[in-house]
Amino acid sequence: MACTFFNLYYPEYQSYFYQCLYTAAFCTPITILEVLLERYTELIRYNQWTWYWTWITLFLTFRMSRAYVKWFFSIPDTPKQP
């Protein structure tokens, strides 16, 4: 569901820096939630895993999902000229 919303509102024609910030804006709250669940509940227990691995894997997952959506729907890299 997170990847769906990520791709639905993705800033396609913004700068690469802005696109990375957008991706980070999706990764960070999920990672914070996981850290809080791990620290204050018994629902998650890290074994040789840390919060930054979660953030990195989420970042890569969102970027790969975007690449797949672009490929599947044939979204161009640049906007069409009128």
Side-chain angles (χ1 to χ4, degrees):
M1 185 171 80
C3 282
T4 300
F5 283 107
F6 173 79
N7 284 298
L8 188 61
Y9 297 108
Y10 190 79
E12 185 66 41
Y13 302 115
Q14 297 291 331
S15 69
Y16 183 73
F17 178 74
Y18 187 81
Q19 292 173 355
C20 287
L21 283 177
Y22 179 82
T23 307
F26 270 80
C27 300
T28 302
I30 296 170
T31 302
I32 290 171
L33 178 62
E34 182 179 290
V35 168
L36 292 173
L37 288 172
E38 191 272 334
R39 185 169 294 162
Y40 297 112
T41 71
E42 296 292 323
L43 297 174
I44 301 172
R45 185 167 303 184
Y46 288 148
N47 290 326
Q48 298 183 357
W49 189 266
T50 58
W51 65 268
Y52 58 84
W53 286 116
T54 298
W55 195 91
I56 291 167
T57 56
L58 284 171
F59 190 90
L60 293 174
T61 300
F62 284 126
R63 298 300 288 181
M64 287 188 301
S65 78
R66 185 64 196 164
Y68 176 78
V69 166
K70 283 182 69 169
W71 169 79
F72 188 82
F73 291 108
S74 301
I75 298 172
D77 287 335
T78 57
K80 294 180 182 177
Q81 298 297 325

